[in-house]
Amino acid sequence: MTTLRYVDHLRDLVGEVDVLFSDIWGVVHNGVAAFPEACAALRTARDQGRTVVMITNAPRPADSVQRQLRQFGVPDDCYDAIVSSGDLTRHYVADHPGQSVFWLGPQRDNSIYRGLDTVLTPLDQADYIICTGPFDDETECAEDYRGMMEQALARRLTLVCANPDIVVERGDRLIYCAGAIAELYREIGGEVIFYGKPHLPIYQRAAAIAESLRGAPTSPARVLAIGDSVRTDLIGAQSFGVECLFVTRGIHAEAFNGSGQVDAATAKQLFGEPPLALTRDLRW
């Protein structure tokens, strides 16, 4: 494995970068409040002519994500566009008219069905499952749904995962997401369709939006992804063929022991193929 590179500032990496694909949760906020320096860094990148596309595994439409960002104190002027796994999931629902859906997720995610002619039914009557997370992510984990997933498997239902994250930060805690349930279903033999990072459709959508905003496609060599998850942000960026700046204070913070740095053995186990660079917090 090559030597890990640590940087303190985003400006040290973006001299030849035109487009930034930035994760949201764990990079610009922690589920409770915005990180002001991270927001300022992205705003400065935009002020210098770069395009910032937020890529999120939030199981809600982009406009709902924007409203939440405003509530947390993330200003509109630090990004150009938002691409959400919720929007991609909505396309799946729209492409399957007349089919009934068992929705597994909290009521706060109901905007994923806004404007769609969706028929929600019990599990034993559904044609497929949409999973946006546990019903109660404050108290539940994937294992609480093993029985339900075994029932779904018996009916050979497809599960559409609207948020491939396993966990996210909420303040100083880690909360289980739809990805944890989806992985359980896949482990017992169920069919799962994932929308969001690290899967290519969300990156392809982000690239198309950046191309529209800039008026021309951008070479992958001039795109930098930013994120705090190995499983979603780093692997997703590498699969799409772009470099990644890895934020260490996010969901893998324990591996870095609060210092923002890690020994070579731990890094090899954590990363496999390392990111372009690591930084504790996103700042200009």
PDB file of all heavy atoms in Angstrom, residues 6-19:
ATOM      1  N   TYR A   6      -1.733  12.944   4.338  1.00  0.00           N
ATOM      2  CA  TYR A   6      -2.627  13.719   5.191  1.00  0.00           C
ATOM      3  C   TYR A   6      -2.561  15.193   4.794  1.00  0.00           C
ATOM      4  O   TYR A   6      -1.471  15.726   4.557  1.00  0.00           O
ATOM      5  CB  TYR A   6      -2.235  13.580   6.672  1.00  0.00           C
ATOM      6  CG  TYR A   6      -2.451  12.188   7.221  1.00  0.00           C
ATOM      7  CD1 TYR A   6      -1.438  11.239   7.161  1.00  0.00           C
ATOM      8  CD2 TYR A   6      -3.674  11.825   7.788  1.00  0.00           C
ATOM      9  CE1 TYR A   6      -1.628   9.953   7.656  1.00  0.00           C
ATOM     10  CE2 TYR A   6      -3.872  10.541   8.283  1.00  0.00           C
ATOM     11  CZ  TYR A   6      -2.847   9.614   8.220  1.00  0.00           C
ATOM     12  OH  TYR A   6      -3.041   8.345   8.706  1.00  0.00           O
ATOM     13  N   VAL A   7      -3.729  15.831   4.722  1.00  0.00           N
ATOM     14  CA  VAL A   7      -3.771  17.257   4.416  1.00  0.00           C
ATOM     15  C   VAL A   7      -4.662  17.945   5.438  1.00  0.00           C
ATOM     16  O   VAL A   7      -5.577  17.339   6.000  1.00  0.00           O
ATOM     17  CB  VAL A   7      -4.292  17.527   2.991  1.00  0.00           C
ATOM     18  CG1 VAL A   7      -3.376  16.915   1.942  1.00  0.00           C
ATOM     19  CG2 VAL A   7      -5.713  17.022   2.820  1.00  0.00           C
ATOM     20  N   ASP A   8      -4.393  19.218   5.666  1.00  0.00           N
ATOM     21  CA  ASP A   8      -5.218  20.010   6.575  1.00  0.00           C
ATOM     22  C   ASP A   8      -6.224  20.872   5.842  1.00  0.00           C
ATOM     23  O   ASP A   8      -7.172  21.377   6.456  1.00  0.00           O
ATOM     24  CB  ASP A   8      -4.328  20.910   7.447  1.00  0.00           C
ATOM     25  CG  ASP A   8      -3.474  20.125   8.428  1.00  0.00           C
ATOM     26  OD1 ASP A   8      -3.976  19.100   8.937  1.00  0.00           O
ATOM     27  OD2 ASP A   8      -2.323  20.519   8.667  1.00  0.00           O
ATOM     28  N   HIS A   9      -6.012  21.045   4.527  1.00  0.00           N
ATOM     29  CA  HIS A   9      -6.830  22.002   3.790  1.00  0.00           C
ATOM     30  C   HIS A   9      -7.250  21.457   2.431  1.00  0.00           C
ATOM     31  O   HIS A   9      -6.432  20.879   1.698  1.00  0.00           O
ATOM     32  CB  HIS A   9      -6.061  23.316   3.587  1.00  0.00           C
ATOM     33  CG  HIS A   9      -5.602  23.943   4.864  1.00  0.00           C
ATOM     34  ND1 HIS A   9      -6.462  24.651   5.679  1.00  0.00           N
ATOM     35  CD2 HIS A   9      -4.389  23.952   5.473  1.00  0.00           C
ATOM     36  CE1 HIS A   9      -5.787  25.080   6.743  1.00  0.00           C
ATOM     37  NE2 HIS A   9      -4.530  24.668   6.643  1.00  0.00           N
ATOM     38  N   LEU A  10      -8.505  21.697   2.087  1.00  0.00           N
ATOM     39  CA  LEU A  10      -9.011  21.307   0.778  1.00  0.00           C
ATOM     40  C   LEU A  10      -8.235  22.000  -0.341  1.00  0.00           C
ATOM     41  O   LEU A  10      -8.012  21.411  -1.400  1.00  0.00           O
ATOM     42  CB  LEU A  10     -10.505  21.657   0.679  1.00  0.00           C
ATOM     43  CG  LEU A  10     -11.210  21.348  -0.647  1.00  0.00           C
ATOM     44  CD1 LEU A  10     -11.174  19.853  -0.946  1.00  0.00           C
ATOM     45  CD2 LEU A  10     -12.650  21.860  -0.607  1.00  0.00           C
ATOM     46  N   ARG A  11      -7.794  23.217  -0.102  1.00  0.00           N
ATOM     47  CA  ARG A  11      -7.094  23.968  -1.152  1.00  0.00           C
ATOM     48  C   ARG A  11      -5.811  23.282  -1.607  1.00  0.00           C
ATOM     49  O   ARG A  11      -5.333  23.543  -2.720  1.00  0.00           O
ATOM     50  CB  ARG A  11      -6.782  25.381  -0.660  1.00  0.00           C
ATOM     51  CG  ARG A  11      -5.854  25.462   0.545  1.00  0.00           C
ATOM     52  CD  ARG A  11      -5.530  26.919   0.883  1.00  0.00           C
ATOM     53  NE  ARG A  11      -4.678  27.047   2.048  1.00  0.00           N
ATOM     54  CZ  ARG A  11      -5.121  27.293   3.282  1.00  0.00           C
ATOM     55  NH1 ARG A  11      -6.428  27.438   3.503  1.00  0.00           N
ATOM     56  NH2 ARG A  11      -4.276  27.400   4.295  1.00  0.00           N
ATOM     57  N   ASP A  12      -5.279  22.384  -0.780  1.00  0.00           N
ATOM     58  CA  ASP A  12      -4.053  21.683  -1.160  1.00  0.00           C
ATOM     59  C   ASP A  12      -4.295  20.624  -2.236  1.00  0.00           C
ATOM     60  O   ASP A  12      -3.328  20.101  -2.814  1.00  0.00           O
ATOM     61  CB  ASP A  12      -3.438  21.001   0.074  1.00  0.00           C
ATOM     62  CG  ASP A  12      -2.990  21.996   1.133  1.00  0.00           C
ATOM     63  OD1 ASP A  12      -2.688  23.148   0.763  1.00  0.00           O
ATOM     64  OD2 ASP A  12      -2.957  21.623   2.318  1.00  0.00           O
ATOM     65  N   LEU A  13      -5.571  20.313  -2.523  1.00  0.00           N
ATOM     66  CA  LEU A  13      -5.876  19.219  -3.447  1.00  0.00           C
ATOM     67  C   LEU A  13      -6.607  19.646  -4.709  1.00  0.00           C
ATOM     68  O   LEU A  13      -6.713  18.847  -5.641  1.00  0.00           O
ATOM     69  CB  LEU A  13      -6.737  18.160  -2.744  1.00  0.00           C
ATOM     70  CG  LEU A  13      -6.124  17.393  -1.578  1.00  0.00           C
ATOM     71  CD1 LEU A  13      -7.164  16.448  -0.995  1.00  0.00           C
ATOM     72  CD2 LEU A  13      -4.900  16.609  -2.034  1.00  0.00           C
ATOM     73  N   VAL A  14      -7.123  20.854  -4.759  1.00  0.00           N
ATOM     74  CA  VAL A  14      -8.088  21.179  -5.819  1.00  0.00           C
ATOM     75  C   VAL A  14      -7.529  22.071  -6.916  1.00  0.00           C
ATOM     76  O   VAL A  14      -8.283  22.616  -7.714  1.00  0.00           O
ATOM     77  CB  VAL A  14      -9.366  21.819  -5.220  1.00  0.00           C
ATOM     78  CG1 VAL A  14     -10.092  20.825  -4.341  1.00  0.00           C
ATOM     79  CG2 VAL A  14      -9.031  23.096  -4.462  1.00  0.00           C
ATOM     80  N   GLY A  15      -6.215  22.194  -7.006  1.00  0.00           N
ATOM     81  CA  GLY A  15      -5.636  23.029  -8.054  1.00  0.00           C
ATOM     82  C   GLY A  15      -6.033  22.608  -9.452  1.00  0.00           C
ATOM     83  O   GLY A  15      -6.219  23.449 -10.343  1.00  0.00           O
ATOM     84  N   GLU A  16      -6.185  21.303  -9.663  1.00  0.00           N
ATOM     85  CA  GLU A  16      -6.557  20.777 -10.987  1.00  0.00           C
ATOM     86  C   GLU A  16      -7.956  20.155 -10.978  1.00  0.00           C
ATOM     87  O   GLU A  16      -8.273  19.326 -11.834  1.00  0.00           O
ATOM     88  CB  GLU A  16      -5.525  19.728 -11.435  1.00  0.00           C
ATOM     89  CG  GLU A  16      -4.092  20.245 -11.501  1.00  0.00           C
ATOM     90  CD  GLU A  16      -3.945  21.348 -12.533  1.00  0.00           C
ATOM     91  OE1 GLU A  16      -4.602  21.264 -13.584  1.00  0.00           O
ATOM     92  OE2 GLU A  16      -3.175  22.301 -12.270  1.00  0.00           O
ATOM     93  N   VAL A  17      -8.791  20.569 -10.034  1.00  0.00           N
ATOM     94  CA  VAL A  17     -10.133  19.995  -9.884  1.00  0.00           C
ATOM     95  C   VAL A  17     -11.184  21.010 -10.323  1.00  0.00           C
ATOM     96  O   VAL A  17     -11.131  22.173  -9.945  1.00  0.00           O
ATOM     97  CB  VAL A  17     -10.380  19.570  -8.421  1.00  0.00           C
ATOM     98  CG1 VAL A  17     -11.842  19.234  -8.173  1.00  0.00           C
ATOM     99  CG2 VAL A  17      -9.510  18.375  -8.062  1.00  0.00           C
ATOM    100  N   ASP A  18     -12.144  20.538 -11.115  1.00  0.00           N
ATOM    101  CA  ASP A  18     -13.251  21.386 -11.570  1.00  0.00           C
ATOM    102  C   ASP A  18     -14.571  21.041 -10.889  1.00  0.00           C
ATOM    103  O   ASP A  18     -15.450  21.895 -10.787  1.00  0.00           O
ATOM    104  CB  ASP A  18     -13.443  21.245 -13.080  1.00  0.00           C
ATOM    105  CG  ASP A  18     -12.265  21.773 -13.876  1.00  0.00           C
ATOM    106  OD1 ASP A  18     -11.682  22.790 -13.456  1.00  0.00           O
ATOM    107  OD2 ASP A  18     -11.921  21.152 -14.899  1.00  0.00           O
ATOM    108  N   VAL A  19     -14.731  19.788 -10.451  1.00  0.00           N
ATOM    109  CA  VAL A  19     -16.001  19.329  -9.885  1.00  0.00           C
ATOM    110  C   VAL A  19     -15.740  18.581  -8.581  1.00  0.00           C
ATOM    111  O   VAL A  19     -14.831  17.745  -8.502  1.00  0.00           O
ATOM    112  CB  VAL A  19     -16.750  18.404 -10.866  1.00  0.00           C
ATOM    113  CG1 VAL A  19     -17.998  17.813 -10.212  1.00  0.00           C
ATOM    114  CG2 VAL A  19     -17.129  19.162 -12.134  1.00  0.00           C
TER     115      VAL A  19
END
